[in-house]
Amino acid sequence: MTNGFLISFEGPDGAGKTTVLEQVIPRLQDIFEQEIIATREPGGVDIAEKIRDVILDVNHTAMDAKTELLLYIAARRQHLVEKILPNLEKDAIVLVDRFIDSSVAYQGYGRGLDVADITWLNAYATDHRQPDLTVYLDVTSELGLERISKNADREVNRLDLEKLDMHQKVRQGYLALLEENPDRIALIDASQSVEKVVEDTLAVIINKYKDLKNA
């Protein structure tokens, strides 16, 4: 298998993406010989982290939806060329907390921007590079927001302050993407215990890796 293995982790706010990603890393290190690289969007590299600060600042409530989208796209491009692609070229397994699908779900379905425009911008920014596998952690908007409210250690950003309706639209966007991309996106029930979610995620990653390696 060449050019590494790119896995994105997606889900509505409160789905537990970051927790699950962190917990699968040591398990994957025990299974695969390749280096495991974990990163996030927006962020992952210095320039993109600075853009992240601008996007998620709770004081930036006047930010226009298209401005928000373009900032995410700019951060994605820098992150891709500076961190993701170089590690894939070294045959690493790269785990990224959010990637192209987040823009479709949040700025497309959530903000109401044109999905075709977002899809084009994603393709332009990534040179059409898609994840080899997307792990979609699904949870209802109500449960996700309840988890956020109970987690005092979690970063609370501008998007967390959106009303329930926005979060419901985002989830519907993810479910639409799942239906459109069944070969790439794997559904995980994130309402289960963290231990079960991690086990289900590991099984999906291992199976997809074997499929790609044997293709």
mmCIF file with all atom_site columns, all heavy atoms in Angstrom, residues 83-95:
data_model
loop_
_atom_site.group_PDB
_atom_site.id
_atom_site.type_symbol
_atom_site.label_atom_id
_atom_site.label_alt_id
_atom_site.label_comp_id
_atom_site.label_asym_id
_atom_site.label_entity_id
_atom_site.label_seq_id
_atom_site.pdbx_PDB_ins_code
_atom_site.Cartn_x
_atom_site.Cartn_y
_atom_site.Cartn_z
_atom_site.occupancy
_atom_site.B_iso_or_equiv
_atom_site.pdbx_formal_charge
_atom_site.auth_seq_id
_atom_site.auth_comp_id
_atom_site.auth_asym_id
_atom_site.auth_atom_id
_atom_site.pdbx_PDB_model_num
ATOM 1   N N   . LYS A 1 83 ? 1.325  19.280 6.455  1.00 0.00 ? 83 LYS A N   1
ATOM 2   C CA  . LYS A 1 83 ? 1.356  18.156 7.386  1.00 0.00 ? 83 LYS A CA  1
ATOM 3   C C   . LYS A 1 83 ? 0.786  16.862 6.840  1.00 0.00 ? 83 LYS A C   1
ATOM 4   O O   . LYS A 1 83 ? 1.423  15.811 6.944  1.00 0.00 ? 83 LYS A O   1
ATOM 5   C CB  . LYS A 1 83 ? 0.622  18.527 8.679  1.00 0.00 ? 83 LYS A CB  1
ATOM 6   C CG  . LYS A 1 83 ? 0.781  17.501 9.798  1.00 0.00 ? 83 LYS A CG  1
ATOM 7   C CD  . LYS A 1 83 ? 0.316  18.063 11.116 1.00 0.00 ? 83 LYS A CD  1
ATOM 8   C CE  . LYS A 1 83 ? 0.676  17.126 12.271 1.00 0.00 ? 83 LYS A CE  1
ATOM 9   N NZ  . LYS A 1 83 ? 0.284  17.700 13.577 1.00 0.00 ? 83 LYS A NZ  1
ATOM 10  N N   . ILE A 1 84 ? -0.419 16.910 6.276  1.00 0.00 ? 84 ILE A N   1
ATOM 11  C CA  . ILE A 1 84 ? -1.066 15.659 5.869  1.00 0.00 ? 84 ILE A CA  1
ATOM 12  C C   . ILE A 1 84 ? -0.325 14.980 4.717  1.00 0.00 ? 84 ILE A C   1
ATOM 13  O O   . ILE A 1 84 ? 0.075  13.810 4.825  1.00 0.00 ? 84 ILE A O   1
ATOM 14  C CB  . ILE A 1 84 ? -2.540 15.909 5.486  1.00 0.00 ? 84 ILE A CB  1
ATOM 15  C CG1 . ILE A 1 84 ? -3.339 16.337 6.725  1.00 0.00 ? 84 ILE A CG1 1
ATOM 16  C CG2 . ILE A 1 84 ? -3.147 14.645 4.881  1.00 0.00 ? 84 ILE A CG2 1
ATOM 17  C CD1 . ILE A 1 84 ? -4.802 16.650 6.445  1.00 0.00 ? 84 ILE A CD1 1
ATOM 18  N N   . LEU A 1 85 ? -0.122 15.682 3.611  1.00 0.00 ? 85 LEU A N   1
ATOM 19  C CA  . LEU A 1 85 ? 0.506  15.063 2.447  1.00 0.00 ? 85 LEU A CA  1
ATOM 20  C C   . LEU A 1 85 ? 1.934  14.582 2.708  1.00 0.00 ? 85 LEU A C   1
ATOM 21  O O   . LEU A 1 85 ? 2.283  13.463 2.300  1.00 0.00 ? 85 LEU A O   1
ATOM 22  C CB  . LEU A 1 85 ? 0.478  16.021 1.256  1.00 0.00 ? 85 LEU A CB  1
ATOM 23  C CG  . LEU A 1 85 ? -0.902 16.281 0.638  1.00 0.00 ? 85 LEU A CG  1
ATOM 24  C CD1 . LEU A 1 85 ? -0.787 17.249 -0.537 1.00 0.00 ? 85 LEU A CD1 1
ATOM 25  C CD2 . LEU A 1 85 ? -1.568 14.987 0.200  1.00 0.00 ? 85 LEU A CD2 1
ATOM 26  N N   . PRO A 1 86 ? 2.783  15.380 3.382  1.00 0.00 ? 86 PRO A N   1
ATOM 27  C CA  . PRO A 1 86 ? 4.139  14.877 3.642  1.00 0.00 ? 86 PRO A CA  1
ATOM 28  C C   . PRO A 1 86 ? 4.151  13.574 4.440  1.00 0.00 ? 86 PRO A C   1
ATOM 29  O O   . PRO A 1 86 ? 4.991  12.701 4.197  1.00 0.00 ? 86 PRO A O   1
ATOM 30  C CB  . PRO A 1 86 ? 4.791  16.024 4.428  1.00 0.00 ? 86 PRO A CB  1
ATOM 31  C CG  . PRO A 1 86 ? 4.057  17.246 3.986  1.00 0.00 ? 86 PRO A CG  1
ATOM 32  C CD  . PRO A 1 86 ? 2.639  16.795 3.805  1.00 0.00 ? 86 PRO A CD  1
ATOM 33  N N   . ASN A 1 87 ? 3.228  13.435 5.378  1.00 0.00 ? 87 ASN A N   1
ATOM 34  C CA  . ASN A 1 87 ? 3.186  12.208 6.165  1.00 0.00 ? 87 ASN A CA  1
ATOM 35  C C   . ASN A 1 87 ? 2.596  11.047 5.377  1.00 0.00 ? 87 ASN A C   1
ATOM 36  O O   . ASN A 1 87 ? 3.034  9.899  5.527  1.00 0.00 ? 87 ASN A O   1
ATOM 37  C CB  . ASN A 1 87 ? 2.402  12.444 7.449  1.00 0.00 ? 87 ASN A CB  1
ATOM 38  C CG  . ASN A 1 87 ? 3.229  13.160 8.500  1.00 0.00 ? 87 ASN A CG  1
ATOM 39  O OD1 . ASN A 1 87 ? 4.193  12.611 9.035  1.00 0.00 ? 87 ASN A OD1 1
ATOM 40  N ND2 . ASN A 1 87 ? 2.885  14.399 8.790  1.00 0.00 ? 87 ASN A ND2 1
ATOM 41  N N   . LEU A 1 88 ? 1.626  11.319 4.526  1.00 0.00 ? 88 LEU A N   1
ATOM 42  C CA  . LEU A 1 88 ? 1.096  10.259 3.670  1.00 0.00 ? 88 LEU A CA  1
ATOM 43  C C   . LEU A 1 88 ? 2.167  9.756  2.703  1.00 0.00 ? 88 LEU A C   1
ATOM 44  O O   . LEU A 1 88 ? 2.236  8.556  2.401  1.00 0.00 ? 88 LEU A O   1
ATOM 45  C CB  . LEU A 1 88 ? -0.119 10.764 2.892  1.00 0.00 ? 88 LEU A CB  1
ATOM 46  C CG  . LEU A 1 88 ? -1.392 11.038 3.705  1.00 0.00 ? 88 LEU A CG  1
ATOM 47  C CD1 . LEU A 1 88 ? -2.476 11.601 2.794  1.00 0.00 ? 88 LEU A CD1 1
ATOM 48  C CD2 . LEU A 1 88 ? -1.891 9.772  4.396  1.00 0.00 ? 88 LEU A CD2 1
ATOM 49  N N   . GLU A 1 89 ? 2.990  10.665 2.220  1.00 0.00 ? 89 GLU A N   1
ATOM 50  C CA  . GLU A 1 89 ? 4.069  10.275 1.308  1.00 0.00 ? 89 GLU A CA  1
ATOM 51  C C   . GLU A 1 89 ? 5.109  9.392  1.996  1.00 0.00 ? 89 GLU A C   1
ATOM 52  O O   . GLU A 1 89 ? 5.826  8.645  1.330  1.00 0.00 ? 89 GLU A O   1
ATOM 53  C CB  . GLU A 1 89 ? 4.721  11.528 0.722  1.00 0.00 ? 89 GLU A CB  1
ATOM 54  C CG  . GLU A 1 89 ? 3.825  12.252 -0.276 1.00 0.00 ? 89 GLU A CG  1
ATOM 55  C CD  . GLU A 1 89 ? 4.319  13.643 -0.624 1.00 0.00 ? 89 GLU A CD  1
ATOM 56  O OE1 . GLU A 1 89 ? 5.396  14.034 -0.116 1.00 0.00 ? 89 GLU A OE1 1
ATOM 57  O OE2 . GLU A 1 89 ? 3.627  14.337 -1.398 1.00 0.00 ? 89 GLU A OE2 1
ATOM 58  N N   . LYS A 1 90 ? 5.149  9.475  3.320  1.00 0.00 ? 90 LYS A N   1
ATOM 59  C CA  . LYS A 1 90 ? 6.049  8.604  4.095  1.00 0.00 ? 90 LYS A CA  1
ATOM 60  C C   . LYS A 1 90 ? 5.340  7.335  4.548  1.00 0.00 ? 90 LYS A C   1
ATOM 61  O O   . LYS A 1 90 ? 5.839  6.604  5.397  1.00 0.00 ? 90 LYS A O   1
ATOM 62  C CB  . LYS A 1 90 ? 6.599  9.375  5.300  1.00 0.00 ? 90 LYS A CB  1
ATOM 63  C CG  . LYS A 1 90 ? 7.507  10.537 4.937  1.00 0.00 ? 90 LYS A CG  1
ATOM 64  C CD  . LYS A 1 90 ? 8.189  11.136 6.145  1.00 0.00 ? 90 LYS A CD  1
ATOM 65  C CE  . LYS A 1 90 ? 7.199  11.834 7.065  1.00 0.00 ? 90 LYS A CE  1
ATOM 66  N NZ  . LYS A 1 90 ? 7.887  12.532 8.189  1.00 0.00 ? 90 LYS A NZ  1
ATOM 67  N N   . ASP A 1 91 ? 4.151  7.086  3.971  1.00 0.00 ? 91 ASP A N   1
ATOM 68  C CA  . ASP A 1 91 ? 3.359  5.885  4.257  1.00 0.00 ? 91 ASP A CA  1
ATOM 69  C C   . ASP A 1 91 ? 2.836  5.835  5.687  1.00 0.00 ? 91 ASP A C   1
ATOM 70  O O   . ASP A 1 91 ? 2.565  4.748  6.225  1.00 0.00 ? 91 ASP A O   1
ATOM 71  C CB  . ASP A 1 91 ? 4.145  4.603  3.950  1.00 0.00 ? 91 ASP A CB  1
ATOM 72  C CG  . ASP A 1 91 ? 4.277  4.366  2.453  1.00 0.00 ? 91 ASP A CG  1
ATOM 73  O OD1 . ASP A 1 91 ? 3.458  4.912  1.702  1.00 0.00 ? 91 ASP A OD1 1
ATOM 74  O OD2 . ASP A 1 91 ? 5.202  3.647  2.045  1.00 0.00 ? 91 ASP A OD2 1
ATOM 75  N N   . ALA A 1 92 ? 2.656  6.989  6.302  1.00 0.00 ? 92 ALA A N   1
ATOM 76  C CA  . ALA A 1 92 ? 2.094  7.023  7.656  1.00 0.00 ? 92 ALA A CA  1
ATOM 77  C C   . ALA A 1 92 ? 0.577  6.842  7.593  1.00 0.00 ? 92 ALA A C   1
ATOM 78  O O   . ALA A 1 92 ? -0.051 7.007  6.550  1.00 0.00 ? 92 ALA A O   1
ATOM 79  C CB  . ALA A 1 92 ? 2.425  8.351  8.333  1.00 0.00 ? 92 ALA A CB  1
ATOM 80  N N   . ILE A 1 93 ? 0.002  6.479  8.734  1.00 0.00 ? 93 ILE A N   1
ATOM 81  C CA  . ILE A 1 93 ? -1.445 6.469  8.897  1.00 0.00 ? 93 ILE A CA  1
ATOM 82  C C   . ILE A 1 93 ? -1.804 7.792  9.569  1.00 0.00 ? 93 ILE A C   1
ATOM 83  O O   . ILE A 1 93 ? -1.376 8.062  10.690 1.00 0.00 ? 93 ILE A O   1
ATOM 84  C CB  . ILE A 1 93 ? -1.910 5.279  9.751  1.00 0.00 ? 93 ILE A CB  1
ATOM 85  C CG1 . ILE A 1 93 ? -1.599 3.964  9.024  1.00 0.00 ? 93 ILE A CG1 1
ATOM 86  C CG2 . ILE A 1 93 ? -3.402 5.384  10.056 1.00 0.00 ? 93 ILE A CG2 1
ATOM 87  C CD1 . ILE A 1 93 ? -1.922 2.726  9.829  1.00 0.00 ? 93 ILE A CD1 1
ATOM 88  N N   . VAL A 1 94 ? -2.547 8.630  8.877  1.00 0.00 ? 94 VAL A N   1
ATOM 89  C CA  . VAL A 1 94 ? -2.876 9.969  9.374  1.00 0.00 ? 94 VAL A CA  1
ATOM 90  C C   . VAL A 1 94 ? -4.328 9.996  9.825  1.00 0.00 ? 94 VAL A C   1
ATOM 91  O O   . VAL A 1 94 ? -5.234 9.697  9.046  1.00 0.00 ? 94 VAL A O   1
ATOM 92  C CB  . VAL A 1 94 ? -2.635 11.043 8.298  1.00 0.00 ? 94 VAL A CB  1
ATOM 93  C CG1 . VAL A 1 94 ? -3.014 12.419 8.836  1.00 0.00 ? 94 VAL A CG1 1
ATOM 94  C CG2 . VAL A 1 94 ? -1.178 11.030 7.845  1.00 0.00 ? 94 VAL A CG2 1
ATOM 95  N N   . LEU A 1 95 ? -4.533 10.352 11.082 1.00 0.00 ? 95 LEU A N   1
ATOM 96  C CA  . LEU A 1 95 ? -5.867 10.495 11.649 1.00 0.00 ? 95 LEU A CA  1
ATOM 97  C C   . LEU A 1 95 ? -6.150 11.983 11.804 1.00 0.00 ? 95 LEU A C   1
ATOM 98  O O   . LEU A 1 95 ? -5.406 12.691 12.482 1.00 0.00 ? 95 LEU A O   1
ATOM 99  C CB  . LEU A 1 95 ? -5.951 9.829  13.023 1.00 0.00 ? 95 LEU A CB  1
ATOM 100 C CG  . LEU A 1 95 ? -5.360 8.424  13.185 1.00 0.00 ? 95 LEU A CG  1
ATOM 101 C CD1 . LEU A 1 95 ? -5.530 7.948  14.621 1.00 0.00 ? 95 LEU A CD1 1
ATOM 102 C CD2 . LEU A 1 95 ? -6.004 7.448  12.225 1.00 0.00 ? 95 LEU A CD2 1
#
